[in-house]
Amino acid sequence: MESLVLTIPQVRKIVLEAAGLARKAQFGIGIEAVYRIIDHLGFVQLDTNYVVERAHHHVMAARIPDYQTEWLAELCEDGSIFEYFTSASGFLPMHDFRFTLPIKKAFKAQRKPLTQAETNLMKQILDRAEREESLTVGDFENDRVEASSGWWDWRLRAS
């Protein structure tokens, strides 16, 4: 079998084409382009940390002229895409939903039953969310007994 040797410019061209960055509006324009990008890439990671805007919106804005951030929510609402968490949270095309079912089934089978305290806390949170609608982690009292063990469980309070 003969090996194929590519130059750096050839590799760059292949990667940019595959990432949807080779040409302006490579996937088209409008909300349909958002779906085509997610379908092509297979997964667009959500990122809650941001300075200018959340990272998944950067992915779209870099590829779609006049991108509107609400388009992702609209595609979720109409059932074209869904949000799912594996090692990271992201958007996937709905036709891939079936591939998440074995993972969900395994998690459910391995999960320990909730304690009464966990059930009570969940009910309190859901009841409050239903009454107040828009809540953030900072809206809840910080009753932590021990200090944070890392960046993933910091509790920020709005001043």
Side-chain angles (χ1 to χ4, degrees):
M1 182 173 174
E2 189 176 327
S3 62
L4 177 65
V5 178
L6 299 172
T7 65
I8 291 176
Q10 288 172 320
V11 171
R12 184 177 294 119
K13 186 175 181 179
I14 291 168
V15 169
L16 289 174
E17 183 73 27
L21 295 167
R23 299 178 307 283
K24 183 176 181 175
Q26 187 172 328
F27 292 95
I29 59 172
I31 194 169
E32 298 83 14
V34 176
Y35 176 80
R36 285 192 287 275
I37 287 169
I38 293 170
D39 188 46
H40 174 78
L41 296 176
F43 181 88
V44 173
Q45 183 174 338
L46 278 118
D47 190 350
T48 58
N49 299 316
Y50 64 92
V51 174
V52 176
E53 183 57 81
R54 294 175 67 189
H56 49 282
H57 293 305
H58 289 276
V59 170
M60 299 302 160
R63 293 163 174 84
I64 304 169
D66 301 317
Y67 167 71
Q68 304 295 310
T69 58
E70 62 270 9
W71 290 344
L72 282 167
E74 289 175 26
L75 288 170
C76 282
E77 288 169 15
D78 78 13
S80 299
I81 64 173
F82 69 103
E83 185 179 332
Y84 186 63
F85 183 85
T86 52
S87 61
S89 186
F91 292 110
L92 290 89
M94 187 55 78
H95 62 80
D96 286 346
F97 185 82
R98 67 189 185 276
F99 300 121
T100 68
L101 297 176
I103 297 166
K104 291 174 182 174
K105 186 176 180 182
F107 277 128
K108 186 176 181 181
Q110 295 172 14
R111 193 179 111 217
K112 296 176 188 172
L114 295 176
T115 65
Q116 189 60 50
E118 291 168 330
T119 301
N120 293 342
L121 177 60
M122 182 171 56
K123 184 180 180 334
Q124 290 172 358
I125 292 170
L126 291 173
D127 288 346
R128 184 169 172 195
E130 188 174 316
R131 285 191 318 274
E132 298 179 38
E133 294 182 11
S134 180
L135 295 170
T136 66
V137 171
D139 293 325
F140 292 88
E141 184 179 330
N142 185 356
D143 58 356
R144 181 188 303 277
V145 176
E146 297 176 13
S148 172
S149 60
W151 65 266
W152 57 88
D153 63 354
W154 284 354
R155 297 286 304 256
L156 300 178
R157 279 244 177 247
S159 353

Short mmCIF file of all heavy atoms in Angstrom, two decimals, residues 38-95:
data_model
loop_
_atom_site.label_atom_id
_atom_site.label_comp_id
_atom_site.label_asym_id
_atom_site.label_seq_id
_atom_site.Cartn_x
_atom_site.Cartn_y
_atom_site.Cartn_z
N ILE A 38 -24.46 21.78 13.14
CA ILE A 38 -24.53 20.78 14.21
C ILE A 38 -24.58 19.38 13.62
O ILE A 38 -23.91 18.46 14.10
CB ILE A 38 -25.72 21.06 15.14
CG1 ILE A 38 -25.47 22.36 15.89
CG2 ILE A 38 -25.96 19.90 16.11
CD1 ILE A 38 -26.66 22.88 16.67
N ASP A 39 -25.34 19.21 12.56
CA ASP A 39 -25.43 17.90 11.92
C ASP A 39 -24.07 17.50 11.34
O ASP A 39 -23.65 16.35 11.47
CB ASP A 39 -26.50 17.93 10.83
CG ASP A 39 -26.77 16.56 10.25
OD1 ASP A 39 -26.91 15.60 11.04
OD2 ASP A 39 -26.84 16.44 9.01
N HIS A 40 -23.38 18.43 10.71
CA HIS A 40 -22.07 18.13 10.11
C HIS A 40 -21.02 17.83 11.18
O HIS A 40 -20.29 16.84 11.07
CB HIS A 40 -21.62 19.32 9.25
CG HIS A 40 -20.24 19.18 8.71
ND1 HIS A 40 -19.95 18.38 7.63
CD2 HIS A 40 -19.06 19.70 9.12
CE1 HIS A 40 -18.65 18.42 7.39
NE2 HIS A 40 -18.09 19.22 8.27
N LEU A 41 -20.95 18.67 12.20
CA LEU A 41 -19.93 18.47 13.24
C LEU A 41 -20.31 17.32 14.18
O LEU A 41 -19.44 16.70 14.78
CB LEU A 41 -19.73 19.76 14.04
CG LEU A 41 -19.17 20.96 13.25
CD1 LEU A 41 -19.11 22.20 14.14
CD2 LEU A 41 -17.80 20.64 12.66
N GLY A 42 -21.61 17.08 14.35
CA GLY A 42 -22.07 15.99 15.20
C GLY A 42 -22.26 16.36 16.66
O GLY A 42 -23.01 15.72 17.38
N PHE A 43 -21.59 17.41 17.11
CA PHE A 43 -21.65 17.83 18.50
C PHE A 43 -21.05 19.22 18.59
O PHE A 43 -19.94 19.44 18.11
CB PHE A 43 -20.83 16.86 19.37
CG PHE A 43 -20.82 17.16 20.85
CD1 PHE A 43 -21.81 16.65 21.67
CD2 PHE A 43 -19.84 17.94 21.41
CE1 PHE A 43 -21.81 16.90 23.03
CE2 PHE A 43 -19.83 18.21 22.77
CZ PHE A 43 -20.82 17.68 23.58
N VAL A 44 -21.77 20.15 19.17
CA VAL A 44 -21.22 21.48 19.44
C VAL A 44 -21.29 21.69 20.94
O VAL A 44 -22.38 21.73 21.52
CB VAL A 44 -21.99 22.59 18.68
CG1 VAL A 44 -21.50 23.96 19.10
CG2 VAL A 44 -21.83 22.41 17.18
N GLN A 45 -20.12 21.79 21.56
CA GLN A 45 -20.04 21.87 23.01
C GLN A 45 -20.58 23.19 23.54
O GLN A 45 -20.29 24.26 23.01
CB GLN A 45 -18.60 21.70 23.47
CG GLN A 45 -18.45 21.69 24.98
CD GLN A 45 -17.05 21.39 25.44
OE1 GLN A 45 -16.26 20.80 24.71
NE2 GLN A 45 -16.73 21.78 26.65
N LEU A 46 -21.37 23.09 24.60
CA LEU A 46 -21.84 24.27 25.32
C LEU A 46 -20.75 24.68 26.29
O LEU A 46 -20.04 23.84 26.84
CB LEU A 46 -23.09 23.94 26.14
CG LEU A 46 -24.36 23.96 25.35
CD1 LEU A 46 -24.98 22.59 25.35
CD2 LEU A 46 -25.28 24.96 25.96
N ASP A 47 -20.64 25.94 26.52
CA ASP A 47 -19.68 26.42 27.50
C ASP A 47 -20.33 27.56 28.25
O ASP A 47 -20.73 28.56 27.65
CB ASP A 47 -18.41 26.89 26.82
CG ASP A 47 -17.29 27.17 27.79
OD1 ASP A 47 -17.54 27.20 29.01
OD2 ASP A 47 -16.16 27.37 27.35
N THR A 48 -20.48 27.41 29.55
CA THR A 48 -21.15 28.43 30.35
C THR A 48 -20.22 29.57 30.73
O THR A 48 -20.68 30.62 31.16
CB THR A 48 -21.74 27.82 31.64
OG1 THR A 48 -20.68 27.20 32.37
CG2 THR A 48 -22.80 26.81 31.31
N ASN A 49 -18.92 29.36 30.60
CA ASN A 49 -17.97 30.41 30.94
C ASN A 49 -17.73 31.27 29.71
O ASN A 49 -17.49 30.76 28.62
CB ASN A 49 -16.64 29.80 31.40
CG ASN A 49 -16.83 28.96 32.63
OD1 ASN A 49 -17.53 29.36 33.54
ND2 ASN A 49 -16.22 27.80 32.65
N TYR A 50 -17.78 32.58 29.89
CA TYR A 50 -17.56 33.45 28.76
C TYR A 50 -17.14 34.84 29.21
O TYR A 50 -17.36 35.23 30.35
CB TYR A 50 -18.80 33.54 27.89
CG TYR A 50 -20.00 34.18 28.58
CD1 TYR A 50 -20.25 35.53 28.48
CD2 TYR A 50 -20.88 33.40 29.32
CE1 TYR A 50 -21.34 36.11 29.09
CE2 TYR A 50 -21.97 33.97 29.94
CZ TYR A 50 -22.21 35.34 29.81
OH TYR A 50 -23.29 35.90 30.42
N VAL A 51 -16.54 35.55 28.30
CA VAL A 51 -16.22 36.95 28.51
C VAL A 51 -17.09 37.78 27.56
O VAL A 51 -17.81 38.67 27.97
CB VAL A 51 -14.72 37.24 28.27
CG1 VAL A 51 -14.43 38.73 28.35
CG2 VAL A 51 -13.87 36.47 29.27
N VAL A 52 -17.03 37.45 26.28
CA VAL A 52 -17.82 38.17 25.28
C VAL A 52 -19.17 37.48 25.08
O VAL A 52 -20.22 38.09 25.14
CB VAL A 52 -17.06 38.25 23.94
CG1 VAL A 52 -17.91 38.91 22.87
CG2 VAL A 52 -15.74 38.99 24.13
N GLU A 53 -19.14 36.18 24.84
CA GLU A 53 -20.35 35.38 24.62
C GLU A 53 -19.98 33.93 24.86
O GLU A 53 -18.82 33.56 24.81
CB GLU A 53 -20.85 35.59 23.19
CG GLU A 53 -22.14 34.87 22.84
CD GLU A 53 -23.32 35.22 23.74
OE1 GLU A 53 -23.95 36.25 23.53
OE2 GLU A 53 -23.60 34.41 24.66
N ARG A 54 -20.97 33.09 25.10
CA ARG A 54 -20.72 31.67 25.35
C ARG A 54 -20.12 31.03 24.10
O ARG A 54 -20.46 31.39 22.97
CB ARG A 54 -22.00 30.99 25.78
CG ARG A 54 -22.47 31.53 27.15
CD ARG A 54 -23.77 30.98 27.58
NE ARG A 54 -23.65 29.55 27.85
CZ ARG A 54 -24.71 28.79 28.08
NH1 ARG A 54 -25.92 29.28 28.05
NH2 ARG A 54 -24.54 27.50 28.32
N ALA A 55 -19.22 30.07 24.30
CA ALA A 55 -18.40 29.51 23.23
C ALA A 55 -19.21 28.90 22.08
O ALA A 55 -18.82 29.01 20.92
CB ALA A 55 -17.42 28.49 23.79
N HIS A 56 -20.33 28.25 22.36
CA HIS A 56 -21.09 27.63 21.29
C HIS A 56 -21.66 28.69 20.34
O HIS A 56 -21.86 28.43 19.15
CB HIS A 56 -22.20 26.71 21.82
CG HIS A 56 -23.05 27.31 22.88
ND1 HIS A 56 -22.64 27.42 24.19
CD2 HIS A 56 -24.29 27.83 22.84
CE1 HIS A 56 -23.58 27.99 24.91
NE2 HIS A 56 -24.60 28.25 24.10
N HIS A 57 -21.88 29.89 20.84
CA HIS A 57 -22.32 30.97 19.96
C HIS A 57 -21.17 31.45 19.07
O HIS A 57 -21.39 31.84 17.92
CB HIS A 57 -22.91 32.12 20.75
CG HIS A 57 -24.19 31.77 21.45
ND1 HIS A 57 -25.28 31.24 20.79
CD2 HIS A 57 -24.54 31.84 22.75
CE1 HIS A 57 -26.25 31.03 21.66
NE2 HIS A 57 -25.83 31.37 22.85
N HIS A 58 -19.94 31.39 19.57
CA HIS A 58 -18.78 31.73 18.74
C HIS A 58 -18.66 30.75 17.57
O HIS A 58 -18.35 31.15 16.45
CB HIS A 58 -17.48 31.70 19.56
CG HIS A 58 -17.36 32.81 20.53
ND1 HIS A 58 -16.90 34.05 20.20
CD2 HIS A 58 -17.65 32.86 21.86
CE1 HIS A 58 -16.90 34.83 21.26
NE2 HIS A 58 -17.35 34.12 22.29
N VAL A 59 -18.89 29.47 17.85
CA VAL A 59 -18.84 28.45 16.80
C VAL A 59 -19.78 28.82 15.67
O VAL A 59 -19.43 28.76 14.49
CB VAL A 59 -19.20 27.05 17.37
CG1 VAL A 59 -19.39 26.03 16.26
CG2 VAL A 59 -18.14 26.59 18.36
N MET A 60 -20.99 29.21 16.02
CA MET A 60 -22.00 29.56 15.01
C MET A 60 -21.69 30.89 14.33
O MET A 60 -21.75 31.00 13.11
CB MET A 60 -23.39 29.62 15.64
CG MET A 60 -23.84 28.31 16.25
SD MET A 60 -23.85 26.99 15.02
CE MET A 60 -23.82 25.58 16.10
N ALA A 61 -21.35 31.90 15.11
CA ALA A 61 -21.10 33.23 14.56
C ALA A 61 -19.91 33.24 13.61
O ALA A 61 -19.89 34.01 12.65
CB ALA A 61 -20.90 34.24 15.68
N ALA A 62 -18.94 32.36 13.84
CA ALA A 62 -17.78 32.29 12.95
C ALA A 62 -18.14 31.66 11.60
O ALA A 62 -17.40 31.80 10.63
CB ALA A 62 -16.67 31.48 13.61
N ARG A 63 -19.28 30.98 11.52
CA ARG A 63 -19.65 30.24 10.32
C ARG A 63 -20.91 30.76 9.63
O ARG A 63 -21.17 30.42 8.50
CB ARG A 63 -19.84 28.77 10.67
CG ARG A 63 -18.54 28.08 11.07
CD ARG A 63 -18.82 26.77 11.81
NE ARG A 63 -17.60 26.05 12.08
CZ ARG A 63 -16.81 26.27 13.13
NH1 ARG A 63 -17.10 27.23 13.99
NH2 ARG A 63 -15.71 25.56 13.29
N ILE A 64 -21.71 31.56 10.35
CA ILE A 64 -23.01 32.00 9.82
C ILE A 64 -23.10 33.52 9.87
O ILE A 64 -23.11 34.10 10.97
CB ILE A 64 -24.18 31.40 10.64
CG1 ILE A 64 -24.09 29.88 10.67
CG2 ILE A 64 -25.52 31.85 10.07
CD1 ILE A 64 -25.03 29.24 11.66
N PRO A 65 -23.19 34.17 8.71
CA PRO A 65 -23.36 35.62 8.72
C PRO A 65 -24.68 35.99 9.43
O PRO A 65 -25.69 35.30 9.27
CB PRO A 65 -23.44 35.99 7.24
CG PRO A 65 -22.82 34.83 6.51
CD PRO A 65 -23.09 33.62 7.36
N ASP A 66 -24.65 37.03 10.24
CA ASP A 66 -25.83 37.54 10.95
C ASP A 66 -26.47 36.49 11.87
O ASP A 66 -27.69 36.46 12.06
CB ASP A 66 -26.88 38.06 9.96
CG ASP A 66 -26.31 39.18 9.09
OD1 ASP A 66 -25.61 40.05 9.63
OD2 ASP A 66 -26.57 39.16 7.87
N TYR A 67 -25.64 35.64 12.46
CA TYR A 67 -26.11 34.62 13.40
C TYR A 67 -26.88 35.26 14.55
O TYR A 67 -26.49 36.29 15.10
CB TYR A 67 -24.92 33.82 13.94
CG TYR A 67 -25.26 32.96 15.13
CD1 TYR A 67 -26.04 31.82 14.98
CD2 TYR A 67 -24.84 33.30 16.41
CE1 TYR A 67 -26.37 31.03 16.07
CE2 TYR A 67 -25.16 32.52 17.51
CZ TYR A 67 -25.93 31.39 17.33
OH TYR A 67 -26.27 30.62 18.41
N GLN A 68 -27.98 34.63 14.96
CA GLN A 68 -28.79 35.08 16.08
C GLN A 68 -28.74 34.01 17.19
O GLN A 68 -29.05 32.84 16.93
CB GLN A 68 -30.26 35.28 15.65
CG GLN A 68 -30.42 36.24 14.49
CD GLN A 68 -29.99 37.66 14.85
OE1 GLN A 68 -30.42 38.19 15.87
NE2 GLN A 68 -29.14 38.24 14.03
N THR A 69 -28.37 34.40 18.40
CA THR A 69 -28.19 33.42 19.49
C THR A 69 -29.45 32.64 19.80
O THR A 69 -29.38 31.49 20.24
CB THR A 69 -27.67 34.11 20.77
OG1 THR A 69 -28.60 35.12 21.17
CG2 THR A 69 -26.30 34.73 20.55
N GLU A 70 -30.62 33.21 19.59
CA GLU A 70 -31.87 32.51 19.92
C GLU A 70 -32.15 31.33 18.99
O GLU A 70 -33.01 30.49 19.28
CB GLU A 70 -33.06 33.47 19.95
CG GLU A 70 -33.37 34.15 18.66
CD GLU A 70 -32.64 35.49 18.46
OE1 GLU A 70 -31.74 35.84 19.26
OE2 GLU A 70 -32.98 36.19 17.49
N TRP A 71 -31.45 31.22 17.88
CA TRP A 71 -31.69 30.12 16.94
C TRP A 71 -31.44 28.75 17.55
O TRP A 71 -32.13 27.79 17.24
CB TRP A 71 -30.87 30.30 15.66
CG TRP A 71 -31.34 31.44 14.81
CD1 TRP A 71 -32.53 32.10 14.88
CD2 TRP A 71 -30.61 32.06 13.74
NE1 TRP A 71 -32.59 33.09 13.92
CE2 TRP A 71 -31.43 33.09 13.21
CE3 TRP A 71 -29.36 31.85 13.18
CZ2 TRP A 71 -31.04 33.89 12.15
CZ3 TRP A 71 -28.96 32.65 12.14
CH2 TRP A 71 -29.80 33.66 11.62
N LEU A 72 -30.45 28.63 18.43
CA LEU A 72 -30.20 27.34 19.08
C LEU A 72 -31.40 26.92 19.92
O LEU A 72 -31.83 25.77 19.85
CB LEU A 72 -28.93 27.40 19.93
CG LEU A 72 -27.62 27.30 19.17
CD1 LEU A 72 -26.44 27.69 20.06
CD2 LEU A 72 -27.42 25.92 18.60
N ALA A 73 -31.95 27.83 20.70
CA ALA A 73 -33.12 27.52 21.51
C ALA A 73 -34.31 27.16 20.62
O ALA A 73 -35.06 26.22 20.93
CB ALA A 73 -33.47 28.70 22.42
N GLU A 74 -34.48 27.86 19.53
CA GLU A 74 -35.58 27.57 18.61
C GLU A 74 -35.45 26.16 18.02
O GLU A 74 -36.45 25.44 17.90
CB GLU A 74 -35.65 28.61 17.50
CG GLU A 74 -36.12 29.97 17.98
CD GLU A 74 -36.06 31.04 16.88
OE1 GLU A 74 -36.14 30.70 15.68
OE2 GLU A 74 -35.93 32.23 17.25
N LEU A 75 -34.23 25.76 17.67
CA LEU A 75 -34.02 24.42 17.13
C LEU A 75 -34.27 23.35 18.19
O LEU A 75 -34.77 22.26 17.87
CB LEU A 75 -32.62 24.28 16.54
CG LEU A 75 -32.39 25.03 15.23
CD1 LEU A 75 -30.90 25.03 14.85
CD2 LEU A 75 -33.22 24.43 14.10
N CYS A 76 -33.95 23.65 19.45
CA CYS A 76 -34.27 22.71 20.54
C CYS A 76 -35.79 22.61 20.71
O CYS A 76 -36.34 21.51 20.85
CB CYS A 76 -33.64 23.17 21.85
SG CYS A 76 -31.89 22.82 21.99
N GLU A 77 -36.45 23.75 20.69
CA GLU A 77 -37.91 23.77 20.90
C GLU A 77 -38.66 23.04 19.79
O GLU A 77 -39.66 22.39 20.06
CB GLU A 77 -38.40 25.22 21.01
CG GLU A 77 -38.00 25.88 22.31
CD GLU A 77 -38.24 27.38 22.33
OE1 GLU A 77 -38.96 27.90 21.45
OE2 GLU A 77 -37.68 28.04 23.21
N ASP A 78 -38.16 23.13 18.55
CA ASP A 78 -38.89 22.45 17.46
C ASP A 78 -38.44 20.99 17.29
O ASP A 78 -38.96 20.28 16.43
CB ASP A 78 -38.81 23.23 16.14
CG ASP A 78 -37.49 23.10 15.40
OD1 ASP A 78 -36.66 22.23 15.72
OD2 ASP A 78 -37.29 23.88 14.45
N GLY A 79 -37.51 20.54 18.12
CA GLY A 79 -37.11 19.14 18.10
C GLY A 79 -36.06 18.77 17.06
O GLY A 79 -35.80 17.60 16.83
N SER A 80 -35.42 19.76 16.45
CA SER A 80 -34.38 19.48 15.46
C SER A 80 -33.06 19.05 16.10
O SER A 80 -32.32 18.25 15.54
CB SER A 80 -34.12 20.71 14.58
OG SER A 80 -35.28 21.07 13.89
N ILE A 81 -32.76 19.65 17.26
CA ILE A 81 -31.54 19.34 17.99
C ILE A 81 -31.91 19.11 19.45
O ILE A 81 -33.01 19.43 19.88
CB ILE A 81 -30.47 20.45 17.87
CG1 ILE A 81 -30.96 21.76 18.52
CG2 ILE A 81 -30.06 20.66 16.42
CD1 ILE A 81 -29.90 22.86 18.58
N PHE A 82 -30.97 18.56 20.23
CA PHE A 82 -31.19 18.40 21.66
C PHE A 82 -29.89 18.62 22.38
O PHE A 82 -28.81 18.52 21.80
CB PHE A 82 -31.79 17.02 21.99
CG PHE A 82 -30.86 15.86 21.78
CD1 PHE A 82 -30.24 15.24 22.85
CD2 PHE A 82 -30.60 15.39 20.49
CE1 PHE A 82 -29.39 14.16 22.66
CE2 PHE A 82 -29.76 14.31 20.29
CZ PHE A 82 -29.14 13.69 21.37
N GLU A 83 -30.02 18.95 23.66
CA GLU A 83 -28.85 19.15 24.50
C GLU A 83 -28.61 17.87 25.28
O GLU A 83 -29.54 17.27 25.80
CB GLU A 83 -29.11 20.32 25.45
CG GLU A 83 -27.93 20.70 26.28
CD GLU A 83 -28.22 21.89 27.20
OE1 GLU A 83 -29.08 22.72 26.86
OE2 GLU A 83 -27.59 21.95 28.26
N TYR A 84 -27.35 17.46 25.35
CA TYR A 84 -27.03 16.21 26.03
C TYR A 84 -25.68 16.34 26.71
O TYR A 84 -24.81 17.09 26.26
CB TYR A 84 -26.99 15.06 25.02
CG TYR A 84 -26.82 13.71 25.67
CD1 TYR A 84 -27.77 13.21 26.54
CD2 TYR A 84 -25.69 12.94 25.41
CE1 TYR A 84 -27.62 11.97 27.14
CE2 TYR A 84 -25.53 11.70 26.01
CZ TYR A 84 -26.49 11.22 26.88
OH TYR A 84 -26.33 10.00 27.48
N PHE A 85 -25.50 15.63 27.80
CA PHE A 85 -24.25 15.65 28.55
C PHE A 85 -23.61 14.28 28.53
O PHE A 85 -24.23 13.30 28.91
CB PHE A 85 -24.49 16.08 30.00
CG PHE A 85 -23.22 16.19 30.78
CD1 PHE A 85 -22.47 17.35 30.73
CD2 PHE A 85 -22.77 15.13 31.54
CE1 PHE A 85 -21.28 17.45 31.44
CE2 PHE A 85 -21.58 15.21 32.25
CZ PHE A 85 -20.84 16.39 32.20
N THR A 86 -22.39 14.22 28.04
CA THR A 86 -21.57 13.01 28.15
C THR A 86 -20.37 13.43 29.00
O THR A 86 -20.51 13.62 30.19
CB THR A 86 -21.15 12.46 26.77
OG1 THR A 86 -20.57 13.51 26.01
CG2 THR A 86 -22.33 11.89 26.03
N SER A 87 -19.23 13.64 28.39
CA SER A 87 -18.10 14.20 29.14
C SER A 87 -18.17 15.72 29.14
O SER A 87 -17.47 16.38 29.89
CB SER A 87 -16.78 13.74 28.53
OG SER A 87 -16.70 14.20 27.19
N ALA A 88 -19.01 16.26 28.29
CA ALA A 88 -19.28 17.69 28.22
C ALA A 88 -20.71 17.86 27.73
O ALA A 88 -21.27 16.96 27.12
CB ALA A 88 -18.30 18.37 27.26
N SER A 89 -21.27 19.01 27.99
CA SER A 89 -22.63 19.28 27.52
C SER A 89 -22.56 19.89 26.13
O SER A 89 -21.68 20.69 25.85
CB SER A 89 -23.31 20.24 28.49
OG SER A 89 -24.66 20.40 28.14
N GLY A 90 -23.49 19.48 25.27
CA GLY A 90 -23.48 20.02 23.92
C GLY A 90 -24.77 19.79 23.19
O GLY A 90 -25.68 19.12 23.69
N PHE A 91 -24.85 20.36 22.00
CA PHE A 91 -25.99 20.19 21.12
C PHE A 91 -25.68 19.11 20.09
O PHE A 91 -24.59 19.07 19.54
CB PHE A 91 -26.31 21.50 20.38
CG PHE A 91 -26.82 22.58 21.28
CD1 PHE A 91 -26.05 23.69 21.55
CD2 PHE A 91 -28.09 22.51 21.84
CE1 PHE A 91 -26.52 24.71 22.36
CE2 PHE A 91 -28.57 23.51 22.66
CZ PHE A 91 -27.79 24.62 22.92
N LEU A 92 -26.67 18.25 19.85
CA LEU A 92 -26.56 17.18 18.85
C LEU A 92 -27.80 17.21 17.97
O LEU A 92 -28.86 17.65 18.42
CB LEU A 92 -26.49 15.81 19.53
CG LEU A 92 -25.23 15.46 20.29
CD1 LEU A 92 -25.31 15.90 21.73
CD2 LEU A 92 -25.01 13.98 20.23
N PRO A 93 -27.69 16.69 16.74
CA PRO A 93 -28.89 16.58 15.91
C PRO A 93 -29.82 15.52 16.47
O PRO A 93 -29.37 14.50 17.00
CB PRO A 93 -28.34 16.17 14.54
CG PRO A 93 -27.00 15.57 14.82
CD PRO A 93 -26.50 16.20 16.09
N MET A 94 -31.13 15.74 16.39
CA MET A 94 -32.10 14.83 16.99
C MET A 94 -31.98 13.41 16.44
O MET A 94 -32.23 12.45 17.17
CB MET A 94 -33.53 15.36 16.79
CG MET A 94 -34.56 14.56 17.54
SD MET A 94 -34.26 14.37 19.32
CE MET A 94 -34.78 15.96 19.92
N HIS A 95 -31.56 13.25 15.19
CA HIS A 95 -31.46 11.89 14.65
C HIS A 95 -30.41 11.06 15.37
O HIS A 95 -30.37 9.84 15.22
CB HIS A 95 -31.25 11.90 13.12
CG HIS A 95 -29.99 12.55 12.67
ND1 HIS A 95 -28.77 11.93 12.72
CD2 HIS A 95 -29.76 13.78 12.15
CE1 HIS A 95 -27.83 12.74 12.25
NE2 HIS A 95 -28.42 13.87 11.89
#
